[in-house]
Amino acid sequence: MNNYLKALLVAVIISAAAPNAFAGLIQAEFGFGWGGDRSYTGTLSGVDADADGFLRFDELTAFSAGGTSSAGTLSISLSSLFDIGDIDLVNQVWLPNADSWSWASATAFITWDDRGSSCTTFNGCGADINITVPEPGSIILLAIGLIGLGVARRSQK
C-alpha cells in the first residue's frame, strides 16, 4: 500500500507541475474569403502567453496570408496586420471580434493595412481554421501509466 501512495503522490506532483495545455507554440492553417469562397489561405503561430485558452493578436509570433480569388490578389504579413479576432484554442474556433475597417464594431476575423481592409461578418467574409496545439496532458498520462506499471511490478516481487 505504501508504494501506491508514493505513486499517487508522484502523479499529483507531476500534474501540478505540468504546464498549461496551450503553453507551447501554437500553429494554425486557415482559409478566409467572401461568399463561401475560402481562396485566401495562410498560416499563423503564437504562444498563449496569458494561458487563458485564446490566441490573440499580441500573442502572435508569425502571420502570413494571401491568394487570388474573384475579389483579387491579396498578401498579408504580420507587419501589415492590424488585428485578428480571438482564436478559441479549446473549441478550435476563430471568433470575429477584432476591430474592423469601419471603426463601427468589432466584427472582423482579420484587419490589415492600418485598418484599411477587413474580413468581417458585416461584409460577408468568413474564416475556417485548423489549429495544432501541443498536448502535454498526453505526456502526463503516459508518465502516470508508467509509474503505475512500475509500482505494480515492484509489488509483485
Side-chain angles (χ1 to χ4, degrees):
M1 184 67 172
N2 192 20
N3 287 337
Y4 291 115
L5 290 176
K6 287 179 187 177
L8 181 61
L9 179 61
V10 168
V12 169
I13 290 170
I14 289 172
S15 297
N20 177 285
F22 309 113
L25 181 67
I26 298 157
Q27 297 178 322
E29 295 178 343
F30 60 89
F32 69 98
W34 290 262
D37 178 14
R38 301 292 191 266
S39 295
Y40 300 117
T41 59
T43 59
L44 61 83
S45 59
V47 176
D48 183 16
D50 56 5
D52 64 352
F54 290 89
L55 187 62
R56 295 188 171 84
F57 175 70
D58 61 343
E59 297 173 320
L60 291 179
T61 57
F63 185 95
S64 176
T68 302
S69 78
S70 58
T73 300
L74 181 64
S75 178
I76 308 169
S77 65
L78 185 58
S79 62
S80 63
L81 194 63
F82 181 81
D83 198 6
I84 65 165
D86 296 344
I87 298 171
D88 181 342
L89 300 172
V90 174
N91 298 306
Q92 298 215 6
V93 175
W94 196 343
L95 304 173
N97 61 351
D99 289 333
S100 68
W101 57 270
S102 67
W103 297 78
S105 61
T107 60
F109 292 101
I110 309 168
T111 302
W112 65 96
D113 289 340
D114 198 26
R115 221 174 185 163
S117 302
S118 292
C119 168
T120 72
T121 57
F122 178 75
N123 65 14
C125 189
D128 301 316
I129 193 158
N130 182 19
I131 304 166
T132 305
V133 179
E135 295 289 346
S138 300
I139 296 170
I140 292 168
L141 287 174
L142 177 63
I144 291 170
L146 291 173
I147 291 168
L149 287 172
V151 169
R153 185 162 188 243
R154 281 188 146 179
S155 63
Q156 287 179 355
K157 287 183 177 184

